């Protein structure tokens, strides 16, 4: 075999060095710059993700506080003393006491259960109330039956107490006079 001449060895060495420098430069150029920086996994885990989580938690806490204040304001707005009329909360009944001759106006969807005394219903049209216990309708002027659950399905229904002490369980909107 023919021995390589010294010039060719230098040329091949310079060519290999140039290729290595160009390859390194190309790899560094695609790794990132000021407009598109290279992001490491440790940066994401130690800095970026904790900052994002902190921002989300702060915004969530602020929104929760706002919603809680709005909810409390609505509850305070709609809660009234039962003798003044009001709205019983969705799942519970409010005990309402009436004296003889006192009336109570029922809102649509209001439920009434006569516990003590006697009362009659007044209305301009029939049916005055729906007796949910028996499935029947109650017309104007009729007396309520104790321990039967009634519902007003039309506006303008009133109950009149006909005993000195009448106790009703009420769920829904109503007003006493």
């Amino acid at each position: 075999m023919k021995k390589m001449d010294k010039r060719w060895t230098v040329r091949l060495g310079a060519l290999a060095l140039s290729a290595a420098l160009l390859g390194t430069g190309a790899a560094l150029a695609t790794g990132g710059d000021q407009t598109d920086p290279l992001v490491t996994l440790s940066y994401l885990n130690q800095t970026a993700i904790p900052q994002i989580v902190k921002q989300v938690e702060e915004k969530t806490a602020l929104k929760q506080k706002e919603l809680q204040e709005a909810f409390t304001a609505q509850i305070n707005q709609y809660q009234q003393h039962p003798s003044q009329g009001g709205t019983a909360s969705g799942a519970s009944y409010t005990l309402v006491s009436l004296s003889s001759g006192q009336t109570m106006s029922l809102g649509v969807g209001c439920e009434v259960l006569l516990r003590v005394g006697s009362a009659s219903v007044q209305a301009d049209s029939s049916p005055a109330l729906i007796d949910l216990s028996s499935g029947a309708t109650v017309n104007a002027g009729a007396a309520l039956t104790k321990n039967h659950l009634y519902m007003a399905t039309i506006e303008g229904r009133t109950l009149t107490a006909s005993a000195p002490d009448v106790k009703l369980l009420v769920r829904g909107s109503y007003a006493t006079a």
Side-chain angles (χ1 to χ4, degrees):
M1 229 185 195
K2 193 174 173 188
K3 197 174 184 182
M4 284 184 116
D5 149 327
K6 197 174 186 181
R7 282 190 274 162
W8 281 105
T9 306
V10 172
R11 286 181 187 161
L12 283 175
L15 184 64
L17 183 62
S18 297
L21 288 175
L22 285 173
T24 304
L28 291 175
T30 60
D33 58 15
Q34 286 185 345
T35 60
D36 186 21
L38 179 66
V39 179
T40 63
L41 181 60
S42 62
Y43 172 77
L44 287 174
N45 289 336
Q46 296 171 2
T47 307
I49 293 175
Q51 287 176 353
I52 292 170
V53 169
K54 182 180 176 186
Q55 289 175 356
V56 168
E57 288 174 347
E58 288 172 353
K59 288 182 180 182
T60 303
L62 180 64
K63 190 65 173 177
Q64 181 180 2
K65 183 180 177 186
E66 289 174 8
L67 290 172
Q68 192 170 14
E69 289 172 356
F71 182 69
T72 303
Q74 279 187 334
I75 287 174
N76 291 337
Q77 179 183 0
Y78 291 112
Q79 280 184 337
Q80 296 178 2
H81 190 273
S83 65
Q84 301 294 319
T87 302
S89 64
S92 64
Y93 287 89
T94 301
L95 179 64
V96 177
S97 297
L98 299 175
S99 56
S100 184
Q102 193 174 7
T103 62
M104 180 170 72
S105 298
L106 307 176
V108 174
C110 182
E111 296 176 355
V112 177
L113 182 87
L114 178 65
R115 293 291 295 144
V116 175
S118 59
S120 60
V121 61
Q122 287 75 39
D124 294 334
S125 62
S126 289
L129 296 175
I130 305 297
D131 184 343
L132 298 174
S133 299
S134 67
T137 58
V138 179
N139 293 322
L144 300 183
T145 305
K146 286 184 184 175
N147 299 320
H148 275 227
L149 183 61
Y150 298 94
M151 179 184 278
T153 58
I154 302 172
E155 192 70 38
R157 289 7 191 178
T158 59
L159 299 179
T160 303
S162 51
D165 185 32
V166 176
K167 299 218 183 287
L168 303 157
L169 291 175
V170 180
R171 179 167 59 180
S173 62
Y174 66 92
T176 58

